Amino acid sequence: MEGSRISDTVIENQIEYIQQKDEFDYLKCLINSIGKGVCVGILLHGPPGTGKTLLAISLAKSYNASYYIIDGSPDLDRRDIEGNWELLKGDTKFNYGPLTLAIKDANENGISFIIINEINAIRENEQISLNSLLSEKHINLISKGFEKHELNPKSKLIILGTMNKGVAGINKLQEAFEDRFIICPEINYPLKDKEIEIVTKLSGCDNKIADIVVDSARQIRKQATQDFSITKIFSTRLIVNFCMLISKMPLIYLKNNIENVIINKLGTTPEEKKSIAMILDGKMFESKIRDELEDKKSVELIWENDVDITNEKISEVIVLTKKCFQNYIEKYGIKNTFKYNGFIMWKVIHWMWMHNRETFQKYIKLTEMFNLPYQFREETGKDHLYNGNITLTYIRWIYQENLETLTKIIKEIFPVA
Ligand SMILES: Nc1ncnc2c1ncn2[C@@H]1O[C@H](COP(=O)(O)OP(=O)(O)OP(=O)(O)O)[C@@H](O)[C@H]1O
Ligand SMILES: [Mg+2]
């Protein structure tokens, strides 16, 4: 059965939780063991981005049960979770909320789940409305004449709360409320090897890259807990996102990704940013990743072309292409080479195609190192090669869709102009 949610949070629906030890099996066994006719609360707590919400969703899915996600916030009103009246063309209609719907689903299907993210962010009043569900297995809808919704003796309703314990600025749970949750498992960062496995599986990156990133993330986490010189935590979520981006994006943007995905995201002050950058430098983070990605891309290149592309061959292609570019510039001048914004002009590309096709095709073949042919195939359904040679359609596509990258390649990566 499809899970429903009242939350706007986007969580990749297809991702499944990968258990660190046996926490998933344990929770499943616990849910199986409890008797019917009860509403049980489980409080998952731990640092951000460790998969708590995902674990809760995966549990519900493993029962093929419906689940309702509530995002805890101080604005959350009792009526949001129980149900509210809506005025419709002069008529009124009652919209049942997730608590009521979950009881109905549990009664019909034997089990259902309510997942409450950041449960400690909800106000006391709303905590109270959950209290009665947890201990008396029913709720009375105040706004609907105390209409009673009760869990039947054959069903189970599981309330999975998630929270970041120890994070500053968040409310504590009311003691009576917390007490009603039968267990409180801590979901912490996985062990190193497990985290590498999670990152590799979810981001699709290479094992070695995951290893490098996880290693540095752990070092930054250590620093964060030791001397508090870094306040935000390097979560598994962040590692996954970073690894996914660097594997999918051209290598030329590695530095941008390190800055934007790691340093600017984790560092709130210039000092923090400096500390993070220093740890990364100390670990030779960028160059290690660059080496790995370069290795991987040249392997792909060899595989795609069935020829061995060595560094000497790359230099050879660059030298030849540079000569052609120089000829063009001598003939037509720099004004006819680059636009005012620094981007290469199409007429240069066209001239290369008309006068130095073979050399230029070899040069453009180097873009295979940057995932561009893959993107081209995804977007157009076409192959970038015809009879083993680069096509004009591909070159035109790069020019139209990736002009910035193309200019960067021409000016900086494999400099020819
Ligand atoms: N054990 C894991 N299995 C699968 N994915 C994981 C795991 N740990 C972390 N992730 C990654 O972290 C992302 C975020 O997970 P999730 O939203 O469940 O974390 P959370 O602990 O609920 O975070 P928050 O405390 O910020 O709400 C996942 O989409 C996934 O990419
Ligand atoms: Mg969460």
Side-chain angles (χ1 to χ4, degrees), residues 52-53 117-118 162 237:
K52 299 179 292 299
T53 305
N117 282 325
E118 327 304 340
T162 76
R237 181 196 278 130

Side-chain angles (χ1 to χ4, degrees), residues 15 18 195-210 239-248 293 296-297 300 371 374:
I15 299 178
I18 301 166
E195 194 159 29
I196 294 172
E197 183 194 324
I198 293 172
V199 172
T200 314
K201 271 195 191 149
L202 296 182
S203 72
C205 80
D206 203 79
N207 197 275
K208 283 187 190 154
I209 291 177
I239 305 179
V240 171
N241 289 343
F242 176 74
C243 288
M244 197 172 65
L245 287 176
I246 57 163
S247 319
K248 293 217 166 117
L293 286 173
K296 194 172 148 259
K297 306 276 182 199
E300 273 167 14
N371 265 353
Y374 173 77

Side-chain angles (χ1 to χ4, degrees), residues 185-399:
E186 182 170 9
I187 309 297
N188 219 317
Y189 294 109
L191 294 173
K192 189 173 177 190
D193 286 349
K194 197 72 202 177
E195 194 159 29
I196 294 172
E197 183 194 324
I198 293 172
V199 172
T200 314
K201 271 195 191 149
L202 296 182
S203 72
C205 80
D206 203 79
N207 197 275
K208 283 187 190 154
I209 291 177
D211 193 339
I212 298 165
V213 185
V214 166
D215 182 58
S216 295
R218 290 170 72 86
Q219 182 64 40
I220 291 173
R221 269 177 212 156
K222 208 166 146 194
Q223 182 107 354
T225 43
Q226 254 168 19
D227 61 8
F228 301 103
S229 60
I230 302 160
T231 43
K232 280 198 195 158
I233 303 274
F234 206 139
S235 68
T236 310
R237 181 196 278 130
L238 200 110
I239 305 179
V240 171
N241 289 343
F242 176 74
C243 288
M244 197 172 65
L245 287 176
I246 57 163
S247 319
K248 293 217 166 117
M249 286 173 74
L251 191 53
I252 43 172
Y253 294 122
L254 176 63
K255 215 181 183 65
N256 305 46
N257 280 330
I258 294 176
E259 268 165 26
N260 297 328
V261 187
I262 300 179
I263 300 178
N264 292 340
K265 253 198 115 188
L266 286 180
T268 31
T269 59
E271 292 75 34
E272 279 189 11
K273 287 182 190 178
K274 216 167 148 191
S275 297
I276 297 163
M278 269 167 64
I279 296 176
L280 295 179
D281 279 352
K283 293 240 162 215
M284 301 211 299
F285 188 72
E286 188 184 338
S287 62
K288 276 191 191 160
I289 293 182
R290 191 175 291 282
D291 286 350
E292 282 306 324
L293 286 173
E294 264 166 6
D295 265 7
K296 194 172 148 259
K297 306 276 182 199
S298 48
V299 169
E300 273 167 14
L301 195 68
I302 291 161
W303 177 78
E304 285 227 23
N305 306 322
D306 224 11
V307 285
D308 193 3
I309 293 262
T310 55
N311 280 343
E312 291 88 81
K313 281 200 176 149
I314 295 177
S315 318
E316 209 176 287
V317 173
I318 294 176
V319 170
L320 277 175
T321 317
K322 200 170 183 167
K323 266 191 196 149
C324 304
F325 264 94
Q326 274 165 358
N327 282 345
Y328 175 91
I329 295 171
E330 269 169 30
K331 220 167 171 174
Y332 300 103
I334 202 85
K335 269 193 175 165
N336 280 311
T337 310
F338 295 106
K339 298 184 197 181
Y340 66 92
N341 57 9
F343 291 165
I344 189 97
M345 286 174 166
W346 171 251
K347 57 182 167 190
V348 190
I349 308 290
H350 190 246
W351 184 87
M352 289 293 282
W353 179 260
M354 298 307 286
H355 298 90
N356 303 281
R357 189 167 306 176
E358 219 177 295
T359 308
F360 194 52
Q361 279 174 323
K362 279 188 190 151
Y363 180 77
I364 292 295
K365 221 164 194 277
L366 298 176
T367 60
E368 284 176 352
M369 291 188 191
F370 308 126
N371 265 353
L372 287 172
Y374 173 77
Q375 266 180 44
F376 176 66
R377 224 171 294 157
E378 291 269 292
E379 279 179 31
T380 64
K382 291 180 187 158
D383 198 349
H384 68 301
L385 299 177
Y386 180 73
N387 280 344
N389 295 320
I390 291 289
T391 66
L392 184 60
T393 318
Y394 173 62
I395 297 176
R396 214 177 266 133
W397 172 84
I398 302 184
Y399 191 86

